[in-house]
C-alpha cells in the first residue's frame, strides 16, 4: 500500500510518500526526486505499475491543482518490483497530457475532493470542487500508455 501527501490539521499539509509492507507491518518513507507539491484532497490510483497522483489542494487552499504525476513501482532493469533497497532508483515524473495548456493545466481541470477509479489503463474522475469553489458534476475519462496520457474525454 502506498500513500502520498495529506493534511493533519487545518494548517499542516504533507508531501510525504510512504509504502506499507504488509508482511512486516512496517511503514517506510520513500525519498524520490521530483515529488508533487504538498497536497490534500487529491486522488491516487495504480495504472500499469505506476502510482498516479492528480489534483488536490496545496498551501493556498483556494487554488486547487490540475496536475498529474507518476511514480513507477518497478525498476527499469528487469522490471522488478521496487523494494526498500531500490526505491532511491526511481523518481517522480510530471505527466504532460495531450490537452495540457501552457500554464500546466491538465485535462482533469483544477479540482479536489473528487472520486476516481482505475479501469485497466484508464482513470475515471468524477466531480469534486473546482478552482472557484464550485461543486463539479462532470466525469472525465483518462487513458494512459506508459507515462503518456493518450486521450481525455468529458463523458457526461
Amino acid at each position: 500500500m502506498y500513500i502520498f501527501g495529506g493534511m493533519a490539521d487545518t494548517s499542516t499539509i504533507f508531501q510525504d510518500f510512504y509504502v506499507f509492507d504488509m508482511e512486516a507491518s512496517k511503514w517506510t518513507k520513500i525519498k524520490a526526486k521530483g515529488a508533487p507539491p504538498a497536497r490534500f484532497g487529491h486522488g491516487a490510483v495504480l495504472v500499469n505499475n505506476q502510482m498516479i497522483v492528480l489534483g488536490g489542494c496545496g498551501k493556498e487552499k483556494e487554488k486547487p491543482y490540475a496536475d498529474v504525476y507518476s511514480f513507477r513501482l518497478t525498476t527499469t532493469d528487469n522490471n522488478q518490483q521496487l523494494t526498500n533497497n531500490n526505491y532511491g532508483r526511481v523518481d517522480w515524473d510530471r505527466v504532460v497530457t495531450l490537452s495540457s495548456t501552457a500554464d500546466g493545466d491538465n485535462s482533469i481541470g483544477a479540482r479536489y475532493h473528487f472520486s476516481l477509479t482505475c479501469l485497466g489503463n484508464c482513470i475515471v474522475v468524477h466531480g469534486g470542487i473546482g478552482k472557484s469553489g464550485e461543486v463539479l458534476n462532470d466525469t472525465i475519462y483518462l487513458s494512459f500508455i506508459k507515462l503518456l496520457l493518450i486521450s481525455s474525454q468529458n463523458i457526461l
Side-chain angles (χ1 to χ4, degrees):
M1 175 172 51
Y2 296 86
I3 61 168
F4 176 81
M7 184 166 60
D9 52 48
T10 58
S11 63
T12 306
I13 301 170
F14 296 102
Q15 186 183 24
D16 299 344
F17 185 33
Y18 285 91
V19 61
F20 184 70
D21 181 333
M22 295 196 188
E23 290 179 13
S25 292
K26 179 182 173 189
W27 287 101
T28 301
K29 187 171 186 174
I30 301 171
K31 296 175 184 169
K33 296 176 187 168
R39 62 188 61 209
F40 70 96
H42 57 287
V45 292
L46 295 179
V47 178
N48 298 333
N49 286 321
Q50 298 170 83
M51 180 176 175
I52 306 292
V53 171
L54 57 154
C57 269
K59 295 187 190 309
E60 296 182 51
K61 296 180 181 118
E62 67 280 354
K63 292 184 180 180
Y65 296 119
D67 55 6
V68 179
Y69 284 84
S70 171
F71 184 85
R72 191 171 14 87
L73 301 175
T74 56
T75 64
T76 52
D77 36 321
N78 302 328
N79 216 24
Q80 294 177 334
Q81 195 69 25
L82 290 176
T83 66
N84 290 341
N85 299 327
N86 61 8
Y87 281 119
R89 296 169 59 194
V90 179
D91 297 327
W92 285 94
D93 291 300
R94 175 106 186 240
V95 178
V96 177
T97 68
L98 294 178
S99 58
S100 295
T101 62
D103 64 358
D105 195 7
N106 282 319
S107 56
I108 64 161
R111 66 181 66 219
Y112 64 107
H113 292 317
F114 51 89
S115 295
L116 77 159
T117 191
C118 179
L119 299 169
N121 68 344
C122 302
I123 297 174
V124 179
V125 178
H126 178 74
I129 300 172
K131 61 176 140 186
S132 300
E134 74 278 18
V135 175
L136 302 172
N137 192 26
D138 58 344
T139 301
I140 298 168
Y141 176 86
L142 305 170
S143 179
F144 287 84
I145 295 180
K146 296 191 178 183
L147 284 180
L148 176 66
L149 175 67
I150 58 166
S151 69
S152 167
Q153 290 180 296
N154 191 331
I155 58 175
L156 286 182

